């Protein structure tokens, strides 16, 4: 990559305490970046920062709950107060609820929208002007294969939120062409992280999906990093995931919804 004039660029990674976010932090550190790591849990961020320090990367830890609408601004101000510059923004924090729309607490719906949709938009709006001014920036939005698939029941809002993030990334990618700021939506399929423990579906998905459908967080992170460096607007790791995304594009809605609905029923989500 062509680096900015400072010796080590700095990437802010949300949801860095586990899974894909932690894997991305390792890849960015390996590629010569320093890190600003954020999530709610401090202990795993501290452990990760210590691990990264051994590779020569400096990490700043800023804990916070992105479900709080004031969090993105607070993060921006805390970074500015510390005199840090953000060259790379990785909007990765996320979670899902699979109990059905009517069984899910409205507060959890609000949190999903805030963490995975509103916060990425606000963080991009806050940090992009500085990137454009400096002529260098990277924005990697961790969306999902679910954002490219037909609507699902049970985790009703998750796919639409990720579809939004993909489209918003593609729009910003177009807008920022030629500025030195790259924007990419990363769309992983099933990935081995804490995600399915957090939503209580580990057993269900492990028996429903064979081992070959699962990717490691490290693989997903590497594909995402390289795609953003190459300024690809969207990347989906894995041949099978690309086949599924392609198929979803071409099936008539009625057929696609029928297939996905049947699958959600087998998983007892609807
Ligand atoms: N795993 C998959 O199969 C898969 C597939 C496609 C897309 N994705 C996407 O990949 C991203 C990362 O997920 P993952 O699989 O790595 O899951 P994970 O292992 O559960 O990690 C989720 C991360 O998000 C953070 N987070 C969750 N809620 C937060 C909040 N309210 N405020 C701040 N941080 C919060 C968590 O940190 P704390 O708990 O410490 O706050 C954690 O660091 C998500 O956007 C997810 O939608 C995952």
């Amino acid at each position: 990559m062509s680096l900015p004039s400072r010796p080590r660029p700095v990437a802010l990674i949300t949801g860095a305490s586990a899974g894909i976010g932690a894997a991305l932090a390792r890849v960015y550190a390996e590629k010569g970046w320093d890190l600003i790591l954020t999530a709610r849990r401090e202990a795993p961020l501290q452990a990760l920062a210590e691990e990264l320090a051994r590779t020569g990367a400096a990490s700043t830890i800023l804990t916070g709950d992105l479900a709080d609408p004031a969090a993105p601004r607070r993060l921006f101000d805390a970074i500015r107060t510390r005199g840090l510059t953000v060259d790379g923004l990785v909007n990765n924090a996320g979670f899902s609820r699979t109990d059905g729309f009517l069984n899910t607490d409205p507060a959890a719906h609000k949190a999903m929208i805030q963490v995975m949709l509103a916060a990425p938009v606000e963080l991009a709006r806050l940090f992009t002007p500085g990137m454009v001014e400096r002529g260098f920036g990277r924005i990697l939005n961790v969306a999902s294969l679910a954002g490219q698939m037909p609507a699902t029941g049970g985790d009703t809002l998750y796919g639409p939120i990720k579809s939004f993030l993909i489209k918003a990334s593609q729009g910003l990618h177009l807008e920022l062409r030629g500025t030195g700021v790259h924007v990419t939506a990363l769309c992983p399929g099933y990935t081995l992280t804490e995600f399915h423990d957090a939503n209580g579906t580990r057993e269900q998905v492990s028996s429903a999906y064979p081992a070959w459908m699962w990717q490691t967080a490290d693989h997903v992170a590497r594909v995402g990093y390289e795609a953003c460096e190459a300024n690809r607007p969207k990347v989906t790791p894995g041949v099978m995931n690309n086949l599924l995304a392609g198929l979803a594009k071409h099936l008539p809605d009625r057929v696609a919804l029928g297939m996905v609905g049947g699958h959600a029923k087998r998983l007892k989500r609807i």
Side-chain angles (χ1 to χ4, degrees):
M1 74 179 162
S2 59
L3 292 170
S5 49
R6 277 168 298 105
R8 287 179 75 95
V10 177
L12 164 64
I13 302 187
T14 72
S17 61
I20 296 169
L24 279 161
R26 293 186 180 98
V27 172
Y28 274 79
E30 181 188 306
K31 303 289 183 184
W33 294 65
D34 286 338
L35 283 314
I36 302 170
L37 307 171
T38 185
R40 290 166 301 182
R41 290 169 292 168
E42 190 167 3
L45 293 180
Q46 288 286 4
L48 179 62
E50 282 163 28
E51 177 193 328
L52 300 182
R54 291 194 285 275
T55 72
S59 300
T60 301
I61 291 171
L62 296 170
T63 52
D65 185 349
L66 283 175
D68 176 355
R73 181 79 219 188
R74 209 180 294 130
L75 204 49
F76 179 77
D77 290 341
I79 289 167
R80 211 169 36 179
T81 304
R82 283 166 176 75
L84 293 165
T85 299
V86 169
D87 304 294
L89 166 65
V90 180
N91 282 309
N92 163 76
F95 65 97
S96 79
R97 289 284 176 269
T98 58
D99 296 334
F101 187 75
L102 298 181
N103 295 324
T104 303
D105 184 342
H109 281 154
K110 273 194 187 150
M112 284 179 78
I113 293 166
Q114 190 61 41
V115 172
M116 292 187 285
L117 195 156
V121 169
E122 191 174 351
L123 288 171
R125 184 64 186 86
L126 288 166
F127 287 109
T128 307
M131 295 180 186
V132 171
E133 217 170 275
R134 294 186 296 276
F136 180 93
R138 302 288 186 260
I139 300 174
L140 182 59
N141 290 323
V142 183
S144 173
L145 175 63
Q148 300 178 78
M149 299 302 282
T152 54
D155 50 356
T156 311
L157 295 187
Y158 184 76
I161 287 171
K162 295 301 192 181
S163 298
F164 171 96
L165 195 57
I166 294 170
K167 282 273 161 67
S169 305
Q170 289 173 321
L172 193 58
H173 169 92
L174 289 177
E175 234 180 282
L176 296 178
R177 246 187 209 162
T179 64
V181 182
H182 298 183
V183 186
T184 300
L186 170 61
C187 304
Y190 285 100
T191 309
L192 293 158
T193 66
E194 293 178 8
F195 187 83
H196 298 96
D197 303 311
N199 68 16
T201 61
R202 169 67 55 211
E203 211 174 302
Q204 193 185 54
V205 292
S206 299
S207 52
Y209 304 111
W212 57 264
M213 282 191 76
W214 292 85
Q215 300 192 307
T216 64
D218 176 65
H219 173 71
V220 166
R222 286 182 189 282
V223 170
Y225 180 87
E226 294 305 338
C228 194
E229 284 309 299
N231 203 14
R232 290 174 60 187
K234 174 166 72 87
V235 67
T236 304
V239 176
M240 187 50 73
N241 292 333
N242 278 285
L243 283 174
L244 287 171
L247 184 67
K249 230 188 239 175
H250 298 293
L251 282 178
D253 270 359
R254 195 174 44 80
V255 177
L257 278 177
M259 282 170 65
V260 172
H263 183 64
K265 259 197 186 128
R266 279 194 297 283
L267 288 178
K268 298 191 174 49
R269 291 185 182 170
I270 55 174

